[in-house]
């Protein structure tokens, strides 16, 4: 298993633990409470209709659940926000883990040096051309400025 896959599996497990576990536990408890309250309400209806108190308690439990739902959505949002950073970190970590392998032989060294020299010469020519273009553009700018200053208004 590659390092990237191992990190991805670990992050997936953390997401499942952080978000799913807490939400599922609270949701299961709420389901159990609803079932118990419905049974008690049924009994109270038989005794005289005092079930509205239990309905109020159920609403209180649902209000207590709201912060948990909010926190789980916040956690999911934070995980989605840092996912690209984690992916970039995984990539850099995997690049560091891989050794750099040079496949050239000593016999290829003179040719490599020649290629580097050719690239350097071409780079110098490009720099010279760009400096000429820059000087030409500066001269055009000054001439345009001068022409605008002398234009009748």
């Amino acid at each position: 298993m590659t390092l990237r896959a191992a990190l991805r599996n670990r992050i997936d497990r953390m997401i499942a633990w952080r978000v799913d576990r807490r939400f599922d536990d609270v949701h299961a408890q709420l389901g159990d409470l609803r079932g118990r309250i419905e049974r008690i309400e049924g009994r109270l209806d038989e005794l005289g209709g005092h079930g509205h108190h239990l309905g109020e308690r159920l609403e209180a439990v649902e209000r207590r659940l709201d912060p948990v739902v909010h926190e789980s959505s916040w956690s999911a949002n934070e995980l989605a926000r840092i996912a690209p950073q984690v992916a970039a970190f995984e990539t850099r970590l995997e690049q560091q883990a891989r050794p750099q392998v040079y496949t050239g032989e000593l016999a290829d060294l003179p040719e490599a040096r020649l290629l580097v020299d050719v690239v350097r010469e071409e780079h110098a020519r490009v720099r010279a051309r760009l400096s000429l273009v820059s000087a030409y553009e500066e001269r055009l700018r000054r001439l345009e400025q001068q022409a605008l200053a002398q234009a009748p208004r």
Side-chain angles (χ1 to χ4, degrees):
M1 176 181 284
T2 65
L3 181 61
R4 181 180 211 147
L7 286 173
R8 188 171 305 280
N9 287 338
R10 187 171 181 186
I11 290 170
D12 288 342
R13 284 194 313 269
M14 287 184 340
I15 289 171
W17 178 82
R18 175 84 170 131
V19 176
D20 297 338
R21 185 183 65 87
R22 288 190 68 190
F23 186 73
D24 290 342
D25 290 346
V26 172
H27 188 64
Q29 289 175 358
L30 182 62
D32 292 342
L33 285 174
R34 282 187 178 144
R36 289 168 60 189
I37 289 172
E38 287 174 5
R39 286 192 301 272
I40 293 171
E41 282 178 343
R43 289 181 194 156
L44 287 177
D45 285 342
E46 294 172 4
L47 295 174
H50 294 61
H52 67 279
H53 294 295
L54 293 175
E56 292 171 359
R57 289 183 67 191
L58 178 61
E59 289 175 8
V61 169
E62 287 176 344
R63 280 193 304 272
R64 287 175 48 198
L65 179 64
D66 285 340
V68 174
V69 170
H70 175 72
E71 184 179 337
S72 67
S73 65
W74 179 85
S75 297
N77 183 42
E78 286 298 304
L79 288 170
R81 184 182 63 81
I82 65 170
Q85 296 171 14
V86 171
F89 179 73
E90 285 177 353
T91 303
R92 283 188 282 162
L93 194 62
E94 194 167 326
Q95 287 172 350
Q96 291 296 323
R98 273 188 261 131
Q100 294 182 354
V101 178
Y102 300 103
T103 58
E105 297 177 6
L106 287 178
D108 297 332
L109 190 59
E111 183 181 352
R113 285 187 178 149
L114 179 66
L115 286 174
V116 169
D117 290 338
V118 168
V119 168
R120 284 182 181 152
E121 289 172 6
E122 185 63 28
H123 187 257
R125 282 193 287 274
V126 168
R127 268 192 316 221
R129 287 182 193 133
L130 287 175
S131 65
L132 286 173
V133 168
S134 177
Y136 178 74
E137 287 179 350
E138 179 62 24
R139 172 123 172 97
L140 282 177
R141 184 189 66 77
R142 280 194 234 133
L143 288 173
E144 287 172 351
Q145 223 175 18
Q146 188 178 22
L148 285 174
Q150 292 176 358
R153 293 183 187 203

